[in-house]
Amino acid sequence: MSISSFLSPKLPFYPSPKLLSTRLTFSSSSTVCCLSVNRPSTNETTGLRVVITAGGTAGHISPALAIGDELKSANPSTQILFIGFPNSMESTTIPSAGFNFSSISTVGSSSSRPFLYLNSIFQFPLKLIQSTFESYKLLQDFKPQIVVGTGGHASFPVCFAAVILRLNLVIQEQDSIPGTTNWILSFFADTIFAPFNCTVTNLPQRVASKCVVYGNPIRQVLRRFVSKGAARVGFFGQWSGAVVDAKVVLVLGGSLGANAINIALLNCYSEVLCEHENWFFVWQTGVEAFDEMDSLVKSHPRLFLSPFLRSVGVAYAAADLVISRAGAMTCSEILALGKPSILIPSPHSDEGDQIRNASLMADIVGSKLITEEELDTITLRAAMEEILGNEELMTEMSARAFNAAKPDAALDVANHIISIVKSEDNSKPRSIQQPPSKSKYCETNLMCHGLQKSCEHILYLEPLLCSDNIIGFSVVMDTLRFELSSVSLTSTAFTASSLHSHSRTSFSSVRVSRVNSSPAIGAVVKTTVNEICTADELHYVPVPNSDWRAALWRYLPSSKGPKRKHPLLLLSGIATNAFTYDLSPEFSFARFMSGLGFDTWILELRGAGLSSLNLDKDLETDKQQIVSDLLENFINVSERIENALDGGFKILGMQDRLSKSVVDFKERLELIPHYNWDFDNYLEEDIPSAMEYVRSQTKPKDGKLLAIGHSMGGILLYALLSRCGLKGTDSGLASVTTLAATLDYSCSGTLLKYLLPVKDPAQAMNLSALPIDTILAMIHPLMCRPPYALSWLTTNISAPQMMDPEVIEKLVLKTLCTVPVKLLLQLATAMDHRGLRDRTGTFYYKDHISKTNVPILALAGDWDIVCPPDAVYDTVKMIPEHLATFKVVGSPGGPHYGHQDLISGRTARSEVYPLILRFLEEHDEN
């Protein structure tokens, strides 16, 4: 019978990548930069240091342990550190196997899909960042020469940290269809160990050259000789040896258990044991199902019940027949140990890989395949009796399994890992300790000599690059790129974005400016032609007690409109910029108002849009170097991502978004330590300075402004009125219009309550900022394109059919910004009883809004689930009745208005804008 190529050991395998034999090093003085070739000593791998990461299920943990066993056998002085999640299977299994184990913060369970749930969408990135930084620190401390990942959620942050640190990275996949973690990591790994030839074809085509097919690593403990009789005594005692022609059935439902198998066996085990007095059962129920099974299964001398078999090698040795799921590792173990089997594939496995495994096992070794739909007491019992009652069949199945097995896969993988570390050079320079420092490659102080000196080095190296003993141009440029990143933070002519050439425009990133090169504080910048600012003028105003400058977009009043007495100031929501009010010519609230004669200003608070940070050139050198190192490492990672994407591979059209997000992140990386303000800082510093600046530019006779605030912008206006009311001071406002805003969400059904769990990981990680723009930009394709996994998020922004898809796309991709965690934590108090509090936690803004003397128009959308109408009314009812006007926009038959529709909805221009206009005109005249 022909053997399927899926498991055949006779097929040609993909060759391993060629290992280079030279190492590139730099030596220099202030004027000389040269190349040399170093040859490492032959004992370089003495005391080999390896990090192995795996987690979730035994299918990921077992091959990791197998590789660790072989590395230890090859060199007993090898130091191995396993990294995984705490309170997980790996946290107990790995230490019990004799290996050192360190834990990182949990990202997600083995079966979770965090992007499908609202809470997880925002928690998952925070947890991933936290676990990656923890992995980064562990790798720096342990200083491994290579990192090995075998899949599972726990392996991703560790492997990604290895990529950032530029360590050797290899991954081992167990299935014919790669898991999500390994599929992503395949772009970054230096070598991919695949179990089958078809695994390679199911990976991206561009990574096939990095694949080596060795089979699945099986632990040494499984292959050690244990006599069948001794193994049975361990489970059933000495008397089991006296049973004539004893047959042992090993039941494995996977490390987490299989309810279908447990139930089918539960209904027949007693009768089977009574009718077949020579049958024994070793039954692994799975950890989650053990308590229930233990309470239902009656004790029997020929039945051994266990939640998880830590000595599974002994169990295999005792077994004549294995009943199991069809995971890739279980199938590999059955082949290596030559066991007849009944396979019941899980119908819930990703891409149906278990059904595929079971089908191929049936073809290759004659395993009995029972689908879960077919599984019941009768079919299971019949299959057991068919196999155990036929010695010839059992012998044939065992022989076929041995012939198809690859028992030395673990040894082959271990030897390949050792060869990588022993190789005299890799395809790029690496550091096993930390990101490369300037002193390692070039002693010239580029931060002193600047960009010009860096260019001289490149020119000096150019003729050498043609020499035969040079590894390659890309290696040199990879090294020099780090040098240039150090310069970028001290040179006004070389910014972070210059390190990686992009033609894309960044719309939401904050601008970095230097003290000696930024526009004068309070200066006006004309922007008649500008890809970003669509206003007539762009102004900057300094924010007191900070290095930030808020941006003010000015829309000059139309000469055709009536003359107005007061300027109009617009405030947008949290994490949004001026585009909220100016998404397109058809949906531009700012242009609408300026066309009717209002001198209209949109305030971009610090950290939003075109606001800028004045950085002193005399920042501490060590802090600059930390940022520089991080920047270089993220550049390296982002380039590899973009190289993969630019090569023709696209996921749901995410290429442009990923590229934009990477560029924005690199531009903002230097700013993150400066995201240290809260809501009260906005209220005490940004708003007053902006209002004073607008007054100085427009000179209203009574010194007052008209103000409109959407979402957090409205909350800021409410809070300003509350404080002024308490103090008895003039707010400087002629009227206030709030759109979808309140000081108290506690009694409403707001969707924001489901985001409160974000606080915990943010506080635990001591994060400065949350990149909301990057998160939403990355998941946007899942909101608006097949398979529409996150399409429900769109309804949180807009009611159905109220905003064009192009407008929603611009709203998500171009208006959002990074938000300080301190700001989020203070705004979260609005969900508590009595509503928003100040930073001391003692002043409740809602309690004093009744003392205002400013007329207020409060509008709510009838379908707004972010700030529902009842939440808006909860604040309005506290305002003196003669000053408050409250209206819910929308009608039962439609149109309906969601959170953003009050500004950008299809019918907002005809239904909402006139309401606001009448209110403004009334109080502009008064």
Side-chain angles (χ1 to χ4, degrees), residues 418-535:
I418 293 172
S419 73
I420 293 175
V421 178
K422 280 185 175 180
S423 65
E424 294 181 342
D425 204 338
N426 295 307
S427 59
K428 61 184 178 182
R430 296 182 184 274
S431 165
I432 65 170
Q433 298 184 12
Q434 58 186 9
S437 62
K438 291 187 295 296
S439 60
K440 180 170 182 177
Y441 294 115
C442 187
E443 296 173 3
T444 304
N445 189 338
L446 291 177
M447 293 185 70
C448 295
H449 290 273
L451 181 61
Q452 180 179 359
K453 181 60 65 178
S454 301
C455 294
E456 291 173 2
H457 282 234
I458 297 174
L459 294 175
Y460 183 82
L461 289 171
E462 185 176 5
L464 297 179
L465 294 176
C466 300
S467 175
D468 293 337
N469 67 335
I470 303 302
I471 295 175
F473 177 78
S474 62
V475 179
V476 179
M477 291 309 298
D478 190 53
T479 303
L480 290 179
R481 192 160 52 246
F482 175 81
E483 307 292 349
L484 294 179
S485 71
S486 300
V487 181
S488 69
L489 297 181
T490 56
S491 170
T492 60
F494 197 78
T495 63
S497 59
S498 302
L499 287 169
H500 192 193
S501 178
H502 287 276
S503 59
R504 306 174 183 92
T505 302
S506 171
F507 285 88
S508 61
S509 60
V510 174
R511 294 298 181 261
V512 186
S513 59
R514 306 294 171 181
V515 171
N516 294 342
S517 62
S518 59
I521 292 177
V524 56
V525 182
K526 297 290 184 180
T527 56
T528 53
V529 178
N530 191 294
E531 292 183 354
I532 299 177
C533 182
T534 54

Side-chain angles (χ1 to χ4, degrees), residues 797-856:
I797 300 172
S798 172
Q801 308 301 318
M802 276 298 287
M803 290 178 65
D804 292 332
E806 297 79 12
V807 178
I808 293 179
E809 181 174 4
K810 185 173 182 179
L811 183 69
V812 173
L813 301 181
K814 296 182 180 179
T815 69
L816 298 173
C817 312
T818 295
V819 181
V821 169
K822 288 172 64 175
L823 172 61
L824 291 175
L825 295 178
Q826 186 174 353
L827 285 174
T829 64
M831 313 296 165
D832 300 334
H833 177 60
R834 295 176 63 187
L836 182 68
R837 304 190 298 271
D838 70 352
R839 68 168 65 96
T840 67
T842 59
F843 181 85
Y844 291 82
Y845 287 102
K846 180 181 171 183
D847 291 351
H848 304 281
I849 191 66
S850 60
K851 299 170 184 172
T852 185
N853 59 359
V854 177
I856 298 171

Side-chain angles (χ1 to χ4, degrees), residues 585-801:
E586 298 80 15
F587 302 101
S588 175
F589 181 80
R591 284 292 176 196
F592 179 86
M593 289 300 169
S594 66
L596 294 174
F598 288 99
D599 192 345
T600 305
W601 300 71
I602 306 176
L603 172 60
E604 289 186 324
L605 300 162
R606 72 179 92 176
L610 296 178
S611 63
S612 66
L613 178 65
N614 297 306
L615 290 181
D616 192 340
K617 289 185 180 180
D618 297 326
L619 289 174
E620 298 175 21
T621 304
D622 57 342
K623 292 183 179 179
Q624 289 239 21
Q625 186 57 50
I626 291 173
V627 175
S628 177
D629 291 345
L630 284 173
L631 183 61
E632 161 62 12
N633 288 317
F634 274 106
I635 289 170
N636 181 50
V637 173
S638 67
E639 286 178 344
R640 296 174 72 175
I641 293 174
E642 291 184 297
N643 287 338
L645 295 178
D646 289 339
F649 168 70
K650 296 185 180 181
I651 308 176
L652 298 173
M654 291 174 66
Q655 177 178 356
D656 291 337
R657 287 146 184 80
L658 180 58
S659 300
K660 173 186 178 298
S661 299
V662 168
V663 175
D664 287 352
F665 180 79
K666 289 188 288 189
E667 291 180 350
R668 287 200 307 271
L669 184 61
E670 189 177 358
L671 305 178
I672 285 187
H674 299 271
Y675 280 76
N676 57 355
W677 63 87
D678 56 19
F679 180 86
D680 287 351
N681 288 124
Y682 280 156
L683 191 61
E684 297 163 358
E685 298 163 355
D686 297 58
I687 302 296
S689 58
M691 291 177 60
E692 181 59 35
Y693 182 80
V694 172
R695 274 193 290 265
S696 69
Q697 295 292 312
T698 58
K699 297 179 174 54
K701 290 184 179 180
D702 59 0
K704 295 183 181 295
L705 283 65
L706 303 169
I708 298 176
H710 174 255
S711 194
M712 188 190 72
I715 299 175
L716 282 167
L717 293 175
Y718 278 140
L720 176 62
L721 297 180
S722 179
R723 280 201 174 185
C724 291
L726 176 66
K727 297 177 181 179
T729 57
D730 185 5
S731 65
L733 298 173
S735 74
V736 165
T737 300
T738 64
L739 311 173
T742 184
L743 292 170
D744 187 357
Y745 291 90
S746 61
C747 296
S748 71
T750 175
L751 184 75
L752 297 177
K753 290 183 178 180
Y754 297 100
L755 303 183
L756 289 180
V758 173
K759 292 193 304 181
D760 298 330
Q763 287 178 301
M765 295 165 59
N766 195 26
L767 285 179
S768 299
L770 180 64
I772 291 178
D773 51 347
T774 302
I775 294 171
L776 288 181
M778 291 298 295
I779 67 173
H780 175 262
L782 297 175
M783 296 168 55
C784 64
R785 300 183 186 180
Y788 301 104
L790 299 178
S791 59
W792 54 271
L793 278 176
T794 305
T795 60
N796 303 326
I797 300 172
S798 172
Q801 308 301 318

Side-chain angles (χ1 to χ4, degrees), residues 291-514:
D291 290 339
E292 182 181 5
M293 289 295 108
D294 189 41
S295 65
L296 296 174
V297 174
K298 296 179 181 179
S299 178
H300 195 285
R302 286 183 282 125
L303 174 66
F304 181 87
L305 196 70
S306 173
F308 181 71
L309 295 169
R310 301 197 183 280
S311 300
V312 70
V314 179
Y316 273 122
D320 295 287
L321 172 66
V322 177
I323 300 175
S324 175
R325 289 296 197 192
M329 286 307 302
T330 301
C331 291
S332 297
E333 291 168 358
I334 290 171
L335 293 176
L337 301 174
K339 296 296 177 180
S341 57
I342 299 173
L343 299 179
I344 306 164
S346 170
H348 309 297
S349 59
D350 293 341
E351 305 290 343
D353 59 310
Q354 285 208 15
I355 296 175
R356 179 187 176 102
N357 293 345
S359 298
L360 290 167
M361 287 287 287
D363 292 339
I364 295 169
V365 301
S367 297
K368 181 68 175 178
L369 168 60
I370 303 176
T371 66
E372 195 160 295
E373 292 181 354
E374 300 169 339
L375 179 64
D376 57 25
T377 300
I378 297 174
T379 56
L380 181 60
R381 180 173 177 174
M384 288 189 291
E385 291 174 340
E386 177 186 354
I387 296 174
L388 293 176
N390 189 334
E391 288 290 342
E392 291 184 1
L393 177 60
M394 292 177 63
T395 302
E396 179 188 352
M397 293 173 70
S398 180
R400 290 167 65 179
F402 277 128
N403 289 335
K406 287 188 64 64
D408 296 327
L411 178 62
D412 292 337
V413 171
N415 287 337
H416 195 118
I417 290 172
I418 293 172
S419 73
I420 293 175
V421 178
K422 280 185 175 180
S423 65
E424 294 181 342
D425 204 338
N426 295 307
S427 59
K428 61 184 178 182
R430 296 182 184 274
S431 165
I432 65 170
Q433 298 184 12
Q434 58 186 9
S437 62
K438 291 187 295 296
S439 60
K440 180 170 182 177
Y441 294 115
C442 187
E443 296 173 3
T444 304
N445 189 338
L446 291 177
M447 293 185 70
C448 295
H449 290 273
L451 181 61
Q452 180 179 359
K453 181 60 65 178
S454 301
C455 294
E456 291 173 2
H457 282 234
I458 297 174
L459 294 175
Y460 183 82
L461 289 171
E462 185 176 5
L464 297 179
L465 294 176
C466 300
S467 175
D468 293 337
N469 67 335
I470 303 302
I471 295 175
F473 177 78
S474 62
V475 179
V476 179
M477 291 309 298
D478 190 53
T479 303
L480 290 179
R481 192 160 52 246
F482 175 81
E483 307 292 349
L484 294 179
S485 71
S486 300
V487 181
S488 69
L489 297 181
T490 56
S491 170
T492 60
F494 197 78
T495 63
S497 59
S498 302
L499 287 169
H500 192 193
S501 178
H502 287 276
S503 59
R504 306 174 183 92
T505 302
S506 171
F507 285 88
S508 61
S509 60
V510 174
R511 294 298 181 261
V512 186
S513 59
R514 306 294 171 181

